[in-house]
Amino acid sequence: MTPAALPSLPLAAQPLTPGLYIVATPIGNLGDITLRALAVLRGAALVACEDTRVTGRLLNHFGIKARLQRLDDHAPAEVRARVIDEARGAPVALASDAGTPLVSDPGFRLVREARAAGVPVIAVPGPCAAIAALTIAGLPSDRFLFAGFLPPRDGARRAVLEELSGVAASLVFYETAPRLLKSLQAIAALWPGREVAVARELTKLHEECRSGSAAALAEHYAAHPPRGEIVLIVGPPAAQEAPAPGAHADSAPDTDALLRAALAHAGPGKAAGKVARATGLDRAALYARALELKGE
Ligand code: SAM
């Protein structure tokens, strides 16, 4: 949608009251900006943002001129204090690079301190990748736990997953393309019976949402390395009662799929070692199976 095509609502003409406005912005498709987000960004005395170049480009696209202030979670306390002080007497917006501020994005400290200082904090909701993914994944959405990014290191990743094992809810993670395969392998080793969804490039040209067992998805993404931005959702433990397509009915790890995924990047020895570490299964037996699979 172009700015010219936007209907002019009385809303846009209303003066904004002072306060800190937390403004969600598109996660890919600029048509997802809300009318209220545009009105607030247009009317704000100051727009605090993660990266002034990124937000500057967005504002430019919509023909909005604004005073920008860089403010990420590393910003000194004085910068936050100045922004909060300004929000006492004028509308101040906070935006992140994409989506909803504070959701794996900066803003928590600013909001907490603004509230403590008695400055009104006003939500201007809109796009959020976690919620968008949940709405299309076909996994239980009545209870979900947003867990942000998984740690990049194997041990730490596994520890976080183990900690979440007993949570009776869908688990929503943000993920990066280079790390997706390792996360899927770790999930396959720990929860072979759960259904998993990978939502990629939401609202963009190459949007896709693929679901199945973690092992089957690992096999797919080993053969087709993913690109772009990713949300990973793991169904709740109850899904183990009805094994997902591709998972073994006895809930044993789908070791063949894990080995195939590992073999896409390594020889039988390394692949067996990797799967042994992820599953705790016997390395020698895995090595023998890896040789068989390699020869198929
Ligand atoms: N605050 C943002 C939100 O509300 O979704 C998230 C910011 S976080 C720094 C960026 C991560 O969000 C990406 O690494 C990816 O996991 C997810 N993400 C953002 N845009 C996405 C998209 N269009 N499709 C899939 N995932 C996306």
Side-chain angles (χ1 to χ4, degrees):
M1 193 186 281
T2 63
L6 291 167
S8 66
L9 291 186
L11 180 67
Q14 280 170 10
L16 297 168
T17 55
L20 178 63
Y21 291 75
I22 309 302
V23 182
T25 56
I27 56 169
N29 188 327
L30 293 181
D32 291 337
I33 191 101
T34 69
L35 293 173
R36 196 155 161 255
L38 287 176
V40 169
L41 292 169
R42 194 169 280 127
L46 175 74
V47 176
C49 53
E50 200 180 349
D51 185 329
T52 52
R53 286 162 307 178
V54 175
T55 301
R57 273 199 298 275
L58 177 81
L59 297 183
N60 245 345
H61 179 86
F62 290 105
I64 295 172
K65 288 206 185 331
R67 188 158 61 89
L68 298 176
Q69 163 72 59
R70 177 159 188 221
L71 195 149
D72 59 19
D73 272 343
H74 308 294
E78 308 86 77
V79 174
R80 292 197 301 277
R82 270 206 308 275
V83 169
I84 291 168
D85 212 39
E86 185 152 358
R88 283 181 202 284
V92 170
L94 172 72
S96 55
D97 286 355
T100 301
L102 282 85
V103 179
S104 287
D105 264 342
F108 166 67
R109 285 183 180 169
L110 183 72
V111 166
R112 195 166 169 80
E113 289 166 7
R115 291 180 62 84
V119 169
V121 181
I122 301 128
V124 185
C128 174
I131 301 299
L134 200 63
T135 61
I136 62 167
L139 288 171
S141 55
D142 54 338
R143 278 164 68 92
F144 64 90
L145 186 143
F146 174 68
F149 288 93
L150 281 166
R153 287 176 189 273
D154 294 354
R157 184 193 302 110
R158 195 170 165 159
V160 168
L161 292 174
E162 277 168 0
E163 187 193 333
L164 295 170
S165 258
V167 175
S170 290
L171 304 174
V172 182
F173 301 100
Y174 282 161
E175 194 46 276
T176 66
R179 293 190 202 154
L180 176 66
L181 192 55
K182 281 199 155 194
S183 293
L184 287 171
Q185 287 168 337
I187 290 165
L190 200 60
W191 304 318
R194 293 206 200 177
E195 191 176 350
V196 175
V198 174
R200 207 173 59 78
E201 291 291 85
L202 294 164
T203 79
K204 303 185 201 174
L205 190 62
H206 298 293
E207 171 171 326
E208 75 163 1
C209 185
R210 196 170 275 278
S211 50
S213 69
L217 289 168
E219 197 175 347
H220 171 82
Y221 285 110
H224 307 93
R227 287 183 175 191
E229 301 193 279
I230 291 165
V231 181
L232 182 59
I233 307 186
V234 182
Q240 282 170 319
E241 284 149 28
H248 288 322
D250 62 0
S251 282
D254 189 344
T255 43
D256 278 6
L258 290 175
L259 280 171
R260 280 200 189 93
L263 282 167
H265 298 284
K270 278 198 171 161
K274 205 169 178 179
V275 177
R277 277 195 300 282
T279 59
L281 293 172
D282 180 57
R283 189 180 183 284
L286 289 167
Y287 179 63
R289 183 65 187 142
L291 287 176
E292 282 171 15
L293 292 173
K294 192 93 183 159
E296 272 179 3

